[in-house]
Amino acid sequence: MEETTPLYEYSPLPTEPAIRLLDLSPGAENSPLRGSLKTFPLAEVPSYLALSYVWGSDEKPHAIQIGSFHVKITTSLNHALRDNRAMASVNNKNIFIWADGICINQSDTAELNSQVALMGSIYRSAVSVVTYIGPADQRAYSGLQLGGKLVEFAQSRGQGSYRDLELIQDSNFQRNGFPPAWHSSWAALSELMDRAWSSRVWIVQESLLNRQVAMVLGRVIVHRDLFGKLAHLSLNGRIPRVTTERRGSDCLTAQDDLKSYAYGHGYDYPHPKTFYHLLRMCHILNSKDAKDKVYALLGVAHDRDQMGIVPDYTKTEAEVYTDVAMRLIQTDSNLDLFSSVWSKKTIQLPTWVPDWSTMPDDPMETLINNPILMKKKLHQAAGDTTADFVFSEDLKRLHLTGCVVDRISIVDRTEREGRLLSPFFFQHLDHLAGLPLYSNNLDDIENWRVLLQYFFTTTASSLASVLSSDLSFFEAGLRLDAALDGYTMPDMTLGAAEMKKIQVLVAAFIHTVANRRFFITEMGYMGLGPKEIVVGDLAVVLLGGKFPYILRESDGIFKLLGESYVHGIMRGEALRPESSDGVELRTFTLI
């Protein structure tokens, strides 16, 4: 787009906290965008809307007239401003809007740093936050209408359970007035669920700091919880799958969970909205600048003042992430951070520093994400100890105190092929329980049930509350696995009700063990660890750590592979042996 007016030149903001607001003028449907930029002290701002939108491409083919000048804007911001202008036109008056793409001088790094530090106050002070999903046509609106009907239908059926799986069959939904699976409204709904707005990390701050959130699709206001409810209902099998991408559904459920934590309903977690908790829950979300995976959460975290993090866009992503890791360990005096370490990183970082910029397509379900385990402190591998740490001056090495549990001697590398357990598990479980698994009769079925109940419920967060009281899930699953592996167990018959239980068990278990390897140590400890483990890796307990960690040694220094579950040492046993010799503590240098 060619502009005949000069490019707008931003005046510096005052030294005291202040923001610019766009005074957006009314206009006809296709008329140029016009308005003025006005500066206000943050403590004296008039009523304004804070606009939340997807930045999209960096290209700026559109413009808005600011007096006799113009500011170039992106296509996404152009759509957002035009739809908001049209919605306000019923009153035929100007509206104040705060939108980062125009109200912040994006070419001034110093101003960007200071304004990002104020983001929490900016969204908190707005009369309303407008979450703009994007432009819409009749196809998109048909998907929106279908989504609303699905939520109403599911809520009318009550909570539902594994016994209601037949409700999601196409024929049953058609009988209840829903369109057939091939109808375009289903695809339209999936497209809405998968739009980029759902994965923006900035939306967390925007939606949590101001309860007056108006979610807008085109020029229609949408119930703020609609898409989160749809994601949860689909994930729980109460409605058909409504996303084409699992990542989109996971992003929406993460947002919905965060709202529940923030507003105090539906969830019970011991540390709501700490900076690390937010980082962990928002790991799946995206940002155009990798540093914003940190900066976008500062305004929400309760412990932000303790952390002392100040936005600085002159730093590299590696510098920001390493600095955050150091501050988390220093502030929290524990090693919870290590549960967010993945082996695949897009940024070159020390192995002990999580890469927040991205998450693997098939991430390992971390034990620390289980609110039941964390609240009840069921996993305390290092007991009540605090981390004993020293950082190198360049922050490339971290020295920690702990003890070696054992060296890994056997690693399961077989494929499960849809089974709950690989044949490897059946062959080696006698190391843990002494069960005669090579015989054709499993006489000690009670011991089997108790062992598997503990093993699964301490690793499967989504099953813990159900399976702790209903072992029939395990019995059904074990009979199926035993049949697949050629073993026999009492009463091998599987009825329709048990097959439904197996469906639930398989779905949750596969999610739990994804990207984990079953292993056995030289002394016979059994556990689950990151899929990258190999024979010779060490299982260690580090002071301040809730879990045993897997380390790989090379020339006296170590690489961190991640957390693990090791049966028999999850309650501090490794640090309180019965031997009178005590525990041999040593220093581990992580790079």
Side-chain angles (χ1 to χ4, degrees):
M1 175 179 179
E2 295 186 2
E3 292 295 334
T4 58
T5 57
L7 192 65
Y8 180 81
E9 292 187 12
Y10 288 88
S11 299
L13 288 169
T15 54
E16 68 271 12
I19 62 173
R20 298 185 188 92
L21 293 177
L22 171 64
D23 189 0
L24 184 62
S25 303
E29 180 70 24
N30 295 315
S31 65
L33 290 170
R34 299 180 183 278
S36 60
L37 281 174
K38 299 180 179 180
T39 300
F40 298 92
L42 190 57
E44 301 174 13
V45 290
S47 296
Y48 66 93
L49 303 177
L51 183 60
S52 165
Y53 65 102
V54 176
W55 186 279
S57 170
D58 283 330
E59 294 184 4
K60 298 180 178 181
H62 305 276
I64 178 173
Q65 292 297 127
I66 303 295
S68 56
F69 301 90
H70 75 274
V71 174
K72 291 184 177 297
I73 58 175
T74 63
T75 297
S76 57
L77 182 54
N78 179 64
H79 283 305
L81 291 176
R82 288 185 175 277
D83 281 338
N84 274 273
R85 182 180 69 175
M87 293 175 69
S89 65
V90 292
N91 297 319
N92 195 34
K93 66 177 183 180
N94 295 22
I95 55 173
F96 279 114
I97 290 178
W98 184 90
D100 60 349
I102 189 172
C103 295
I104 297 177
N105 183 359
Q106 298 291 327
S107 62
D108 185 340
T109 303
E111 179 177 306
L112 184 62
N113 291 340
S114 63
Q115 288 288 284
V116 169
L118 294 175
M119 286 285 201
S121 298
I122 291 172
Y123 284 104
R124 194 179 291 111
S125 301
V127 67
S128 177
V129 173
V130 176
T131 300
Y132 182 69
I133 299 173
D137 53 17
Q138 286 307 120
R139 173 184 167 86
Y141 290 137
S142 71
L144 181 63
Q145 184 179 25
L146 174 60
K149 288 179 64 177
L150 284 169
V151 171
E152 290 178 5
F153 173 77
Q155 291 178 337
S156 71
R157 300 299 299 252
Q159 291 299 312
S161 70
Y162 65 88
R163 298 179 180 86
D164 297 328
L165 293 177
E166 67 273 9
L167 291 177
I168 67 173
Q169 296 175 1
D170 292 340
S171 58
N172 287 316
F173 266 86
Q174 289 182 56
R175 283 198 298 270
N176 284 280
F178 289 92
W182 50 261
H183 195 273
S184 62
S185 58
W186 289 100
L189 177 57
S190 292
E191 291 164 7
L192 288 179
M193 298 283 286
D194 293 335
R195 285 198 187 189
W197 70 273
S198 66
S199 63
R200 291 179 61 244
V201 69
W202 280 106
I203 203 171
V204 174
Q205 181 168 247
E206 296 158 2
S207 61
L208 292 187
L209 293 179
N210 193 320
R211 296 202 185 192
Q212 302 304 315
V213 175
M215 188 170 289
V216 175
L217 173 65
R219 299 172 185 179
V220 173
I221 296 178
V222 182
H223 192 287
R224 61 177 292 174
D225 296 328
L226 174 66
F227 293 105
K229 288 180 179 178
L230 284 168
H232 273 294
L233 290 169
S234 179
L235 185 65
N236 294 331
R238 294 176 57 196
I239 61 173
R241 184 175 178 180
V242 290
T243 58
T244 56
E245 298 290 337
R246 174 63 187 268
R247 179 64 64 93
S249 178
D250 288 345
C251 290
L252 285 164
T253 53
Q255 288 185 35
D256 201 49
D257 289 345
L258 276 165
K259 291 176 186 175
S260 295
Y261 289 136
Y263 301 154
H265 53 77
Y267 290 86
D268 187 10
Y269 200 88
H271 303 296
K273 296 201 318 187
T274 63
F275 190 62
Y276 174 56
H277 182 199
L278 290 165
L279 281 170
R280 193 173 72 248
M281 292 196 70
C282 298
H283 201 161
I284 195 172
L285 302 180
N286 301 319
S287 64
K288 196 165 189 67
D289 188 324
K291 295 184 282 290
D292 285 338
K293 290 295 289 290
V294 171
Y295 298 153
L297 303 175
L298 289 177
V300 189
H302 287 171
D303 53 353
R304 58 185 176 274
D305 293 336
Q306 289 177 273
M307 293 296 300
I309 297 172
V310 177
D312 185 353
Y313 285 91
T314 65
K315 290 184 176 180
T316 66
E317 291 88 349
E319 289 174 328
V320 172
Y321 289 177
T322 303
D323 178 69
V324 167
M326 176 195 69
R327 291 172 185 271
L328 283 170
I329 293 173
Q330 289 177 331
T331 302
D332 298 340
S333 297
N334 62 44
L335 304 180
D336 290 359
L337 178 76
F338 289 177
S339 291
S340 297
V341 168
W342 312 107
S343 60
K344 292 182 180 179
K345 298 181 179 181
T346 59
I347 298 172
Q348 188 171 356
L349 294 164
T351 62
W352 52 273
V353 177
D355 180 359
W356 300 111
S357 67
T358 186
M359 177 177 274
D361 291 332
D362 49 356
M364 180 178 69
E365 176 71 9
T366 58
L367 300 174
I368 204 168
N369 278 340
N370 186 333
I372 297 174
L373 299 181
M374 294 302 100
K375 181 176 177 60
K376 295 184 178 180
K377 297 184 178 181
L378 295 181
H379 290 339
Q380 295 288 114
D384 294 326
T385 61
T386 57
D388 182 21
F389 55 87
V390 175
F391 296 97
S392 64
E393 187 173 347
D394 60 5
L395 294 184
K396 292 184 177 179
R397 298 192 176 200
L398 170 60
H399 309 284
L400 295 167
T401 301
C403 68
V404 174
V405 174
D406 204 4
R407 191 175 298 273
I408 295 173
S409 60
I410 303 174
V411 177
D412 175 16
R413 298 204 174 276
T414 60
E415 296 300 326
R416 291 184 175 81
E417 299 176 352
R419 308 175 190 185
L420 294 182
L421 305 171
S422 72
F424 175 93
F425 189 89
F426 279 89
Q427 294 165 8
H428 294 284
L429 195 59
D430 56 324
H431 282 265
L432 181 60
L435 297 176
L437 296 183
Y438 286 103
S439 68
N440 288 328
N441 294 302
L442 296 177
D443 298 324
D444 200 357
I445 189 65
E446 285 302 314
N447 286 342
W448 176 276
R449 285 169 50 178
V450 171
L451 169 64
L452 268 293
Q453 178 199 16
Y454 182 81
F455 186 82
F456 283 100
T457 55
T458 51
T459 58
S461 60
S462 57
L463 283 178
S465 60
V466 176
L467 298 183
S468 61
S469 60
D470 190 351
L471 291 176
S472 64
F473 281 85
F474 289 125
E475 292 177 357
L478 291 173
R479 277 197 287 277
L480 177 63
D481 264 356
L484 290 172
D485 285 311
Y487 296 104
T488 59
M489 296 179 66
D491 186 11
M492 297 288 288
T493 305
L494 289 171
E498 287 192 309
M499 288 304 296
K500 290 178 182 177
K501 291 184 177 183
I502 288 173
Q503 285 181 284
V504 175
L505 187 66
V506 168
F509 184 76
I510 288 176
H511 180 64
T512 298
V513 301
N515 287 309
R516 290 183 184 269
R517 294 285 184 188
F518 191 71
F519 66 82
I520 301 176
T521 71
E522 292 176 352
M523 291 190 293
Y525 287 110
M526 302 179 76
L528 286 171
K531 68 177 182 180
E532 295 81 13
I533 59 175
V534 298
V535 171
D537 288 340
L538 294 177
V540 306
V541 169
L542 302 172
L543 300 188
K546 290 183 174 63
F547 315 102
Y549 300 103
I550 305 299
L551 303 184
R552 183 168 297 163
E553 185 175 10
S554 177
D555 298 327
I557 56 179
F558 298 85
K559 292 182 178 180
L560 173 67
L561 300 186
E563 69 171 28
S564 69
Y565 170 86
V566 181
H567 190 77
I569 63 165
M570 302 302 292
R571 300 288 186 90
E573 294 90 340
L575 295 180
R576 55 172 189 272
E578 297 179 359
S579 169
S580 59
D581 297 334
V583 179
E584 183 181 347
L585 295 177
R586 55 167 293 183
T587 298
F588 298 89
T589 298
L590 274 57
I591 58 172

